[in-house]
PDB file of all heavy atoms in Angstrom:
ATOM      1  N   HIS A 108      32.354-225.488  55.922  1.00 94.00           N
ATOM      2  CA  HIS A 108      32.587-224.293  55.113  1.00 94.00           C
ATOM      3  C   HIS A 108      32.132-224.472  53.664  1.00 94.00           C
ATOM      4  O   HIS A 108      32.226-223.542  52.864  1.00 94.00           O
ATOM      5  CB  HIS A 108      34.070-223.908  55.140  1.00 94.00           C
ATOM      6  CG  HIS A 108      35.006-225.027  54.795  1.00 94.00           C
ATOM      7  ND1 HIS A 108      35.147-226.150  55.579  1.00 94.00           N
ATOM      8  CD2 HIS A 108      35.854-225.218  53.751  1.00 94.00           C
ATOM      9  CE1 HIS A 108      36.031-226.968  55.041  1.00 94.00           C
ATOM     10  NE2 HIS A 108      36.470-226.426  53.930  1.00 94.00           N
ATOM     11  N   ILE A 109      31.646-225.657  53.332  1.00 97.00           N
ATOM     12  CA  ILE A 109      31.206-225.963  51.967  1.00 97.00           C
ATOM     13  C   ILE A 109      29.685-226.080  51.944  1.00 97.00           C
ATOM     14  O   ILE A 109      29.098-226.755  52.803  1.00 97.00           O
ATOM     15  CB  ILE A 109      31.838-227.274  51.469  1.00 97.00           C
ATOM     16  CG1 ILE A 109      33.368-227.199  51.538  1.00 97.00           C
ATOM     17  CG2 ILE A 109      31.389-227.579  50.044  1.00 97.00           C
ATOM     18  CD1 ILE A 109      34.057-228.532  51.270  1.00 97.00           C
ATOM     19  N   ASP A 110      29.042-225.445  50.972  1.00 98.00           N
ATOM     20  CA  ASP A 110      27.596-225.573  50.797  1.00 98.00           C
ATOM     21  C   ASP A 110      27.317-226.938  50.168  1.00 98.00           C
ATOM     22  O   ASP A 110      27.318-227.096  48.949  1.00 98.00           O
ATOM     23  CB  ASP A 110      27.072-224.442  49.900  1.00 98.00           C
ATOM     24  CG  ASP A 110      25.544-224.407  49.851  1.00 98.00           C
ATOM     25  OD1 ASP A 110      24.909-225.470  50.001  1.00 98.00           O
ATOM     26  OD2 ASP A 110      24.989-223.310  49.633  1.00 98.00           O
ATOM     27  N   LEU A 111      27.083-227.940  51.020  1.00 97.00           N
ATOM     28  CA  LEU A 111      26.916-229.308  50.552  1.00 97.00           C
ATOM     29  C   LEU A 111      25.638-229.485  49.729  1.00 97.00           C
ATOM     30  O   LEU A 111      25.609-230.259  48.770  1.00 97.00           O
ATOM     31  CB  LEU A 111      26.898-230.280  51.731  1.00 97.00           C
ATOM     32  CG  LEU A 111      28.176-230.377  52.566  1.00 97.00           C
ATOM     33  CD1 LEU A 111      28.002-231.399  53.676  1.00 97.00           C
ATOM     34  CD2 LEU A 111      29.376-230.741  51.694  1.00 97.00           C
ATOM     35  N   GLN A 112      24.601-228.757  50.086  1.00 97.00           N
ATOM     36  CA  GLN A 112      23.346-228.864  49.338  1.00 97.00           C
ATOM     37  C   GLN A 112      23.539-228.405  47.899  1.00 97.00           C
ATOM     38  O   GLN A 112      23.093-229.059  46.954  1.00 97.00           O
ATOM     39  CB  GLN A 112      22.256-228.032  50.017  1.00 97.00           C
ATOM     40  CG  GLN A 112      20.891-228.160  49.328  1.00 97.00           C
ATOM     41  CD  GLN A 112      19.805-227.369  50.045  1.00 97.00           C
ATOM     42  OE1 GLN A 112      19.970-226.950  51.185  1.00 97.00           O
ATOM     43  NE2 GLN A 112      18.683-227.171  49.371  1.00 97.00           N
ATOM     44  N   ALA A 113      24.249-227.286  47.734  1.00 98.00           N
ATOM     45  CA  ALA A 113      24.505-226.779  46.381  1.00 98.00           C
ATOM     46  C   ALA A 113      25.404-227.739  45.610  1.00 98.00           C
ATOM     47  O   ALA A 113      25.188-227.989  44.416  1.00 98.00           O
ATOM     48  CB  ALA A 113      25.158-225.395  46.462  1.00 98.00           C
ATOM     49  N   ALA A 114      26.411-228.278  46.278  1.00 98.00           N
ATOM     50  CA  ALA A 114      27.318-229.220  45.614  1.00 98.00           C
ATOM     51  C   ALA A 114      26.547-230.443  45.111  1.00 98.00           C
ATOM     52  O   ALA A 114      26.766-230.913  43.984  1.00 98.00           O
ATOM     53  CB  ALA A 114      28.425-229.645  46.568  1.00 98.00           C
ATOM     54  N   GLU A 115      25.628-230.942  45.934  1.00 97.00           N
ATOM     55  CA  GLU A 115      24.841-232.114  45.531  1.00 97.00           C
ATOM     56  C   GLU A 115      23.930-231.783  44.355  1.00 97.00           C
ATOM     57  O   GLU A 115      23.785-232.573  43.418  1.00 97.00           O
ATOM     58  CB  GLU A 115      24.029-232.618  46.718  1.00 97.00           C
ATOM     59  CG  GLU A 115      23.425-233.985  46.502  1.00 97.00           C
ATOM     60  CD  GLU A 115      22.983-234.632  47.792  1.00 97.00           C
ATOM     61  OE1 GLU A 115      22.795-233.911  48.798  1.00 97.00           O
ATOM     62  OE2 GLU A 115      22.827-235.867  47.796  1.00 97.00           O
ATOM     63  N   GLU A 116      23.334-230.596  44.401  1.00 98.00           N
ATOM     64  CA  GLU A 116      22.442-230.169  43.314  1.00 98.00           C
ATOM     65  C   GLU A 116      23.179-230.079  41.984  1.00 98.00           C
ATOM     66  O   GLU A 116      22.630-230.414  40.931  1.00 98.00           O
ATOM     67  CB  GLU A 116      21.817-228.818  43.647  1.00 98.00           C
ATOM     68  CG  GLU A 116      20.756-228.874  44.732  1.00 98.00           C
ATOM     69  CD  GLU A 116      20.223-227.497  45.087  1.00 98.00           C
ATOM     70  OE1 GLU A 116      20.458-226.550  44.293  1.00 98.00           O
ATOM     71  OE2 GLU A 116      19.591-227.355  46.150  1.00 98.00           O
ATOM     72  N   TYR A 117      24.423-229.630  42.030  1.00 98.00           N
ATOM     73  CA  TYR A 117      25.201-229.446  40.803  1.00 98.00           C
ATOM     74  C   TYR A 117      26.059-230.668  40.461  1.00 98.00           C
ATOM     75  O   TYR A 117      26.869-230.630  39.539  1.00 98.00           O
ATOM     76  CB  TYR A 117      26.081-228.209  40.920  1.00 98.00           C
ATOM     77  CG  TYR A 117      25.304-226.915  40.748  1.00 98.00           C
ATOM     78  CD1 TYR A 117      24.941-226.145  41.847  1.00 98.00           C
ATOM     79  CD2 TYR A 117      24.905-226.479  39.482  1.00 98.00           C
ATOM     80  CE1 TYR A 117      24.215-224.970  41.699  1.00 98.00           C
ATOM     81  CE2 TYR A 117      24.188-225.302  39.314  1.00 98.00           C
ATOM     82  CZ  TYR A 117      23.840-224.554  40.435  1.00 98.00           C
ATOM     83  OH  TYR A 117      23.112-223.388  40.278  1.00 98.00           O
TER      84      TYR A 117
END
Side-chain angles (χ1 to χ4, degrees):
H108 52 295
I109 303 171
D110 188 331
L111 296 181
Q112 183 178 345
E115 193 163 20
E116 287 177 16
Y117 284 102

